[in-house]
Amino acid sequence: MSAAVHGDPASCSQVGGSLRRLASQLRAAGSQVQAAQAELADEWSGRVARTVGRGSATVVEATTAAAAELDRAGAMLQDHATDLAESLQEVRALEERAQVAGLSIQDGRVVLRWGVSGVADEDALAAREARRTGLQSELDRVVLQLGRRRARLTAALEAATALLADHSSLLRG
């Protein structure tokens, strides 16, 4: 296969699933902290109890937000895995159609295959060039579409990273 589309859908999906499992575990831990704080609130009062209560509320809030962000990031990665798999399938189909037409896809370009290609017939050459142009347009569309999806995913994951870093700083502070 040419290098028109890069990526591994299985790895993207696996990482997305791992993030979503982590989010689920984080939600469960946050619920445990909240339940423990509720039990203590009935039996413990005073300045220290209020300080601990505020601290545990901060932990639960940060945990809830982090879990939601991790789950969202995991879902985005799993969606991207689907998009990537579809794009790879489209490129494979384009490669097969190119091969039938005596063309190949190399480094994102539809080109004439090496070797003897037949009699010098202007009509056949024009038809092959039209076929090459059409396949190139389809390939460019697939690559552009996937590039846009990757750019949106990258921006969303960078935003998620910043949000998680903010919550982490808040908890350390």
Side-chain angles (χ1 to χ4, degrees), residues 113-131:
R113 280 192 307 193
W114 284 94
V116 177
S117 59
V119 179
D121 177 3
E122 285 188 35
D123 292 338
L125 292 173
R128 180 178 291 159
E129 181 57 25
R131 185 77 171 148

Side-chain angles (χ1 to χ4, degrees), residues 73-129:
M76 286 186 300
L77 280 168
Q78 288 178 323
D79 288 344
H80 182 69
T82 302
D83 293 341
L84 183 56
E86 289 171 359
S87 295
L88 288 169
Q89 183 58 38
E90 285 185 64
V91 170
R92 284 186 193 107
L94 284 169
E95 286 177 332
E96 289 173 11
R97 290 174 34 214
Q99 188 173 18
V100 168
L103 304 166
S104 67
I105 297 177
Q106 297 175 1
D107 298 324
R109 306 297 315 154
V110 179
V111 296
L112 186 62
R113 280 192 307 193
W114 284 94
V116 177
S117 59
V119 179
D121 177 3
E122 285 188 35
D123 292 338
L125 292 173
R128 180 178 291 159
E129 181 57 25

Side-chain angles (χ1 to χ4, degrees), residues 3 14 18 23 29 34-37 84 95 98 124 138 146 160 163:
Q14 184 178 16
S18 294
Q34 201 168 21
Q37 179 57 34
L84 183 56
E95 286 177 332
E138 289 182 56
L146 186 61
L163 181 72

